[in-house]
Amino acid sequence: MTTHNIGIIMNGVTGRMGTNQHLLRSIKAIIEQGGVKISADEVIMPDPILVGRNESKLQSLCKQSGIAKYTTDLDSVMSDPQYQIYFDAQVTGRRAAAVKKAILAGKHIYCEKPTGTTTEEALELYELATAAGLKNGVVQDKLWLPGMLKLKRLMENGFFGKILSVRGEFGYWVFEGHSIPAQRPSWNYRKEDDGGIIVDMLCHWRYVLDNLFGKVKAVSCLGATHIPERIDENGNPYKATADDACYATFELEDDVIAQFNSSWTVRVRRDDLLTLQVDGTHGSAVAGLRDCYTQHYGNTPKPVWNPDIPQPIPFFEGWAKVPEQEIFDNAFKAQWELFLKHIVKDTPFPWDLKAGARGVQLAEKGIESWEKRQWVNIEEL
């Protein structure tokens, strides 16, 4: 058996996403399954070291995960040739400087999004990594969600005919903290700390739209700060300076129109925290994080508007659930495995730092549209 041991510097994994999705459900899970299998006699084995500023948090995380190595000295591992990959899950404002340092140290880059606070900063990271001949990737996890993969299979089999429109509903009620504790960090609601749902979610919608439905050509966006005051982790009130809701329309290539509502101030009455409805000439589908429901042209009811009588059509009954035809792994883990194969075997990995910069670009253009109250075109980077 040939084993490729790949050292990974994991910076910022004491945060919620870094701990749960990247460390416990991805890297630890890959180690426990015996690595990433390439063939019957070849495997990739991650060798992580956890990096952060709080030593007690790192010690607790090592105990929780079974990962033995940690350090608060990022420079010491940057200079260690044992570690080939630098992974960053810090808050956005710290990301670019650390990634630049890793590029100078000759590390391959894999990081969370947004990859920068501006499009120029995010694009610079791609250019620096490419000029240095380093492989690079950005987390674009929603592409590997079971619901999205089922949508993709339907598209590959021509289920929709010509796709006309996409409608996305994302979000849930994030408690303000006055009586019930908030379930998201307070920095999310402070613009000065790079918070805001436009910056957070339009990066996601860019790669979902680009990869599944067509390149984004233009955006019309309206943001809002519906809740003006929240309570932070220390029980202190603070002014919410960042947007907590976003209402956006996107023009895609091939005349497809997409509309996405993203909100931390909405109560859920739908199948999941994220649902996408895709309507086409031959059929429609509604996908959540895991499940997907379809309605073909031949099964489409013919309603007639009449508000004077109870609705006679049970609309939900006209949809069929897509059966479980394959087993889907954790979305973050699936992309980690692809990136590790890309490092070792040079297999394709198109979700690079330039794709990350496109996400930052759409967020910036969305904010520009909100400020100008007009449509904004999306130029090719």
Side-chain angles (χ1 to χ4, degrees):
M1 174 69 72
T2 299
T3 301
H4 304 275
N5 290 302
I6 301 296
I8 307 172
I9 301 166
M10 301 192 73
N11 192 8
V13 287
T14 54
R16 177 177 56 92
M17 291 291 291
T19 294
N20 294 326
Q21 297 293 1
H22 291 290
L23 181 58
L24 299 180
R25 297 171 192 167
S26 294
I27 296 302
K28 182 176 185 285
I30 290 170
I31 293 171
E32 289 179 340
Q33 74 182 18
V36 180
K37 188 176 181 181
I38 299 174
S39 64
D41 55 0
E42 193 174 8
V43 70
I44 303 169
M45 181 60 70
D47 177 22
I49 183 167
L50 311 186
V51 181
R53 296 173 297 159
N54 188 314
E55 187 168 6
S56 63
K57 285 185 177 181
L58 289 169
Q59 289 173 340
S60 297
L61 190 54
C62 284
K63 184 177 181 180
Q64 179 185 3
S65 65
I67 303 299
K69 295 182 292 184
Y70 75 89
T71 183
T72 57
D73 184 2
L74 179 60
D75 290 338
S76 68
V77 285
M78 285 290 195
S79 59
D80 191 336
Q82 177 182 350
Y83 301 103
Q84 301 102 306
I85 296 173
Y86 173 74
F87 170 71
D88 193 294
Q90 299 183 96
V91 295
T92 306
R94 297 194 187 102
R95 183 160 298 133
V99 170
K100 286 180 183 178
K101 184 180 289 189
I103 291 171
L104 287 174
K107 309 298 183 185
H108 302 298
I109 304 298
Y110 188 54
C111 68
E112 265 291 355
K113 68 218 149 299
T115 53
T117 56
T118 67
T119 304
E120 290 74 19
E121 184 178 70
L123 193 56
E124 182 188 14
L125 297 181
Y126 168 74
E127 292 167 345
L128 289 172
T130 304
L134 300 170
K135 293 176 179 176
N136 55 90
V138 174
V139 179
Q140 305 203 325
D141 52 285
K142 287 178 175 53
L143 295 177
W144 288 272
L145 288 171
M148 300 304 109
L149 290 172
K150 290 170 184 176
L151 270 183
K152 186 178 179 182
R153 301 287 187 269
L154 292 169
M155 294 171 66
E156 290 170 345
N157 287 285
F159 171 83
F160 296 102
K162 173 176 169 39
I163 291 179
L164 307 173
S165 63
V166 182
R167 289 206 303 277
E169 289 285 345
F170 165 80
Y172 46 94
W173 188 269
V174 176
F175 285 93
E176 308 91 319
H178 295 93
S179 57
I180 298 175
Q183 67 269 45
R184 289 184 65 88
S186 60
W187 69 264
N188 284 271
Y189 306 95
R190 292 191 293 265
K191 187 175 182 180
E192 58 271 26
D193 292 332
D194 305 308
I197 201 165
I198 294 177
V199 170
D200 191 341
M201 296 313 302
L202 262 62
C203 293
H204 285 285
W205 307 150
R206 180 69 189 265
Y207 69 73
V208 169
L209 293 172
D210 278 359
N211 283 274
L212 292 180
F213 305 109
K215 290 183 179 180
V216 181
K217 295 168 56 180
V219 59
S220 171
C221 179
L222 177 67
T225 305
H226 290 306
I227 306 295
E229 182 187 87
R230 293 178 178 269
I231 306 298
D232 67 16
E233 291 78 3
N234 299 315
N236 299 317
Y238 68 95
K239 182 180 179 181
T241 54
D243 41 285
D244 55 22
C246 164
Y247 311 93
T249 303
F250 308 99
E251 181 187 6
L252 314 184
E253 60 186 355
D254 296 328
D255 300 321
V256 177
I257 303 299
Q259 297 170 289
F260 276 72
N261 292 329
S262 310
S263 178
W264 290 318
T265 58
V266 64
R267 295 177 180 87
V268 179
R269 194 176 190 274
R270 41 191 146 87
D271 293 328
D272 215 328
L273 299 184
L274 167 65
T275 57
L276 260 62
Q277 177 161 335
V278 182
D279 290 305
T281 53
H282 294 167
S284 298
V286 176
L289 303 182
R290 302 195 62 82
D291 294 328
C292 184
Y293 296 85
T294 62
Q295 185 172 90
H296 194 265
Y297 187 93
N299 297 329
T300 302
K302 189 178 181 181
V304 176
W305 178 264
N306 187 352
D308 297 322
I309 62 172
Q311 177 54 245
I313 301 174
F315 289 109
F316 284 98
E317 294 180 10
W319 295 78
K321 186 177 181 180
V322 174
E324 300 299 326
Q325 297 168 318
E326 55 189 305
I327 297 173
F328 298 104
D329 211 340
N330 176 278
F332 291 85
K333 178 173 176 280
Q335 193 178 5
W336 261 109
E337 292 190 348
L338 290 173
F339 186 71
L340 290 171
K341 289 179 182 178
H342 177 58
I343 296 298
V344 174
K345 305 301 289 186
D346 201 29
T347 51
F349 194 88
W351 311 282
D352 57 13
L353 283 167
K354 191 172 186 180
R358 292 191 189 100
V360 178
Q361 179 196 33
L362 185 59
E364 279 197 330
K365 296 295 186 181
I367 293 171
E368 180 184 343
S369 170
W370 177 18
E371 291 173 344
K372 293 181 176 179
R373 304 184 73 83
Q374 67 181 37
W375 278 91
V376 175
N377 292 326
I378 309 299
E379 305 88 6
E380 187 70 32
L381 288 182

